[in-house]
Amino acid sequence: MQLHQSSWQQVEAYLARSTGIVIPIGSTEQHGPNGLLGTDAICPEVIAARGAALGNFLVAPTFNVGCAQHHLGFPGTITLRPSTMIAAMLDWTTSLRRHGFTHFYWLNGHGGNIATINAAFAEIYAEGSLRPDTRGQTNIVCTLKNWWELPGIAELCKEMYPTGHGSHATPSEISVTWFAYPQAAEVLSTVSMSPRIAPVGPIRDAEDYRRRFPDGRIGSDPTQASIEDGRRIVEAAAGALAQDFARFCTPSE
Ligand code: NI
């Protein structure tokens, strides 16, 4: 069930049986020569949509622009400052809290978001603690899960890509987006890259990034990507998500 494809009465009916919600969160940033700019948002969005079909939970609109300043050397990248992202996440959560949601499961697709998401959780909890009118109310709970850390996914990706998985514009994330948008694969699957496996190194500012990683990849060979691999990853991740979200919403959590 997708929030943006539901009526308010349907959301009200959902709240009568569950106060948990999955929020896909990602980024709009370059993903190398054969990857879509929306990769980090598309991956959690697709996995959450499939997981919702299995686990019958509600999925919020995708928070699809994150912390991507280091990719601004490449056309199309959009970033939020960490402070802006923290403020926006607080407003999303506070809006949903007002309706009665208590359990917020942020399914993340971008490593560069992790520090800021955790800072946003600190801000969200502080908002509850500092407001005297929330005393005695049910506490809210936030959790962060990177989709590639869902149970079984790292093992599956290692089996599929023993070399050249890397850490940015990886064959696993490119495969997931091609599964979601096969027409993109038609155009991008013939792109060649040199060197086959991209260099590795630290991530600093946009100028430094472009110098170190000229085509945008880090440590990866995404020419290994395929629609079929994407299907396998989405199926495995969606099943793991449905289980993990159910556990997260149990009263002891
Ligand atoms: Ni990515």
Side-chain angles (χ1 to χ4, degrees), residues 38-61:
T39 296
D40 287 353
I42 293 166
C43 291
E45 182 171 280
V46 168
I47 291 163
R50 179 66 188 138
L54 300 172
N56 199 22
F57 53 75
L58 185 63
V59 180

Side-chain angles (χ1 to χ4, degrees), residues 29 31 39-40 109 168-169 173:
E29 63 183 45
H31 266 76
T39 296
D40 287 353
H168 183 68
E173 62 181 347

Side-chain angles (χ1 to χ4, degrees), residues 34-35 156-176 178 185 188-193 195-198 217-233:
N34 71 351
L156 179 62
C157 293
K158 195 163 185 182
E159 174 201 317
M160 285 175 163
Y161 315 111
T163 61
H165 188 263
S167 59
H168 183 68
T170 64
S172 59
E173 62 181 347
I174 304 299
S175 292
V176 169
W178 287 3
L188 295 170
S189 60
T190 56
V191 172
S192 59
M193 297 172 213
R196 189 177 72 79
I197 297 178
R217 300 173 290 148
I218 304 180
S220 67
D221 170 18
T223 63
Q224 299 177 88
S226 75
I227 293 172
E228 171 57 18
D229 286 358
R231 186 194 63 75
R232 287 180 64 195
I233 295 167

